């Protein structure tokens, strides 16, 4: 949420440049740079494998005093599992590269790995390696996670089509509300709403079960996880699918409690980062079947709009107001 959102559109450009200039090709590679994770099928294998990697840097992505080492470990893995969830695959293995300042001792490291493995256990992933090094500038974590398809099912960002309904799991803007509280010096949470926001920011729940279910049903079109904010990730889904979108603001599931703290819940829902919900499309003819069959045990989801033929992301307020363009920007921590 810190740096990344401040420069996410230039990040898009750099990624495109890297893909064109340095991206590799191979027969067994089904998806290289350009989705939530890369996809390949080892020669002779039935199932496809998916790999993703993510970094968390102290002072850039998090502040050391804003969470316990256990929460930091959890969150670092959650980012990666969320990318696997967005492909609809099962988490299997992960590696952890960790650089720490010399002042950090064994109990910190143990707590950090405790956080990692407690989340990994929930989703069936196991630690298979990594690296440990000394850092001169705070804690730095880099995780790579591998997932495997189930019955060869997988979902890509590019699978959306004009006319599809757009859905999102859970609610949006809760993690950004938690970040707001931390910035105000509120690290404990006096009310239930404050504790929920802090928990969402520190211990996000990757939607692996939901992603896997969606892939297995063969109902969904395109899918991406909401890591950089709805506006940014919806633009990415649209670009990959060759479509635009129209969303209805009154339908956005948002974290209303942040309104009483001086935040704008709608603004946080549109542009707040790190919710790690899933954003996906369902072809128009399948939305009724999808809604009727969506299991109660999973995180509820909401239809927020439709993919359109016309490019660009637009919103209506649901009360007959003007149709407006949605800017592609994530949550910028440094915006004053
Ligand atoms: Mg992602």
């Amino acid at each position: 949420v810190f740096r990344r959102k401040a420069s996410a559109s230039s990040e898009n450009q750099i990624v495109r440049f890297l893909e064109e200039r340095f991206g590799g090709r191979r027969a067994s590679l089904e998806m290289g740079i350009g989705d939530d994770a890369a996809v390949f099928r080892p020669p002779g294998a039935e199932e496809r494998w998916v790999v993703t990697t993510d970094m968390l840097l102290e002072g850039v992505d998090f502040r050391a005093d804003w969470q316990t080492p256990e929460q930091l470990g959890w969150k670092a893995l959650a980012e990666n599992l969320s990318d696997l969830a967005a492909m609809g695959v099962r988490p299997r293995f992960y590696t952890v590269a960790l650089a720490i300042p010399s002042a950090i001792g064994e109990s910190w490291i143990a707590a950090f790995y405790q956080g990692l493995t407690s989340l990994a256990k929930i989703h069936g992933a196991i630690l298979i390696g990594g690296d440990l090094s000394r850092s001169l500038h705070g804690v730095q974590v880099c995780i790579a996670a591998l997932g495997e398809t189930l019955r060869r099912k997988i979902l890509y960002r590019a699978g959306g089509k004009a006319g599809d309904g757009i859905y999102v799991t859970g609610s949006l803007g809760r993690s950004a509300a938690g970040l707001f509280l931390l910035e105000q010096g509120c690290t404990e949470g006096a009310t239930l709403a404050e504790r929920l926001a802090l928990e969402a920011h520190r211990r996000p729940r990757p939607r692996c079960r939901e992603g896997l279910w969606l892939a297995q049903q063969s109902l969904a079109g395109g899918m991406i996880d909401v890591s950089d904010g709805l506006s940014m990730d919806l633009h990415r889904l649209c670009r990959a699918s060759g479509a635009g979108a129209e969303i209805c603001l009154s339908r956005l599931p948002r974290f209303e409690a942040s309104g009483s703290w001086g935040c704008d819940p709608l603004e946080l829902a549109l542009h707040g980062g790190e919710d790690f919900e899933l954003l996906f499309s369902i072809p128009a003819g399948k939305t009724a079947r999808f809604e009727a069959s969506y299991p109660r045990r999973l995180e509820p989801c909401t239809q927020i709009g439709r993919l359109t033929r016309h490019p660009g992301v637009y919103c209506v307020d649901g009360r007959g107001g003007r149709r407006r363009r949605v800017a592609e920007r994530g949550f910028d921590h440094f915006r004053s």
Side-chain angles (χ1 to χ4, degrees), residues 12 57 67 92 113-114 120 150 168 208 254 322 327:
N12 283 342
L57 305 180
Q67 71 283 298
R92 303 300 261 171
Y113 277 84
Q114 187 58 48
L150 178 60
V168 67
C208 297
R254 64 197 93 175
R322 213 157 50 85

Side-chain angles (χ1 to χ4, degrees), residues 36 82-83 86 157 224-225 227 233:
D36 287 288
S82 182
D83 280 325
R157 290 180 182 179
I224 186 171
D225 69 320
S227 52
D233 291 315

Side-chain angles (χ1 to χ4, degrees), residues 170-194:
S171 76
L172 299 171
R174 192 187 288 193
S175 174
L179 176 62
F180 172 83
L181 291 177
L182 290 170
E183 287 173 329
Q184 306 301 305
C186 170
T187 55
E188 294 308 319
T191 64
L192 177 63
E194 288 179 356

Side-chain angles (χ1 to χ4, degrees), residues 39-55:
V39 181
F40 59 96
R41 192 201 303 263
E46 271 282 292
E47 300 294 338
R48 278 167 280 183
W49 283 84
V50 164
V51 61
T52 182
T53 186
D54 249 304
M55 224 167 12

Side-chain angles (χ1 to χ4, degrees), residues 230-240 312-313 326-328:
L230 176 67
S231 69
M232 189 144 289
D233 291 315
L234 180 54
H235 272 95
R236 288 177 175 140
L237 181 77
C238 286
R239 266 197 302 273
V313 175
V326 177
E328 181 178 4

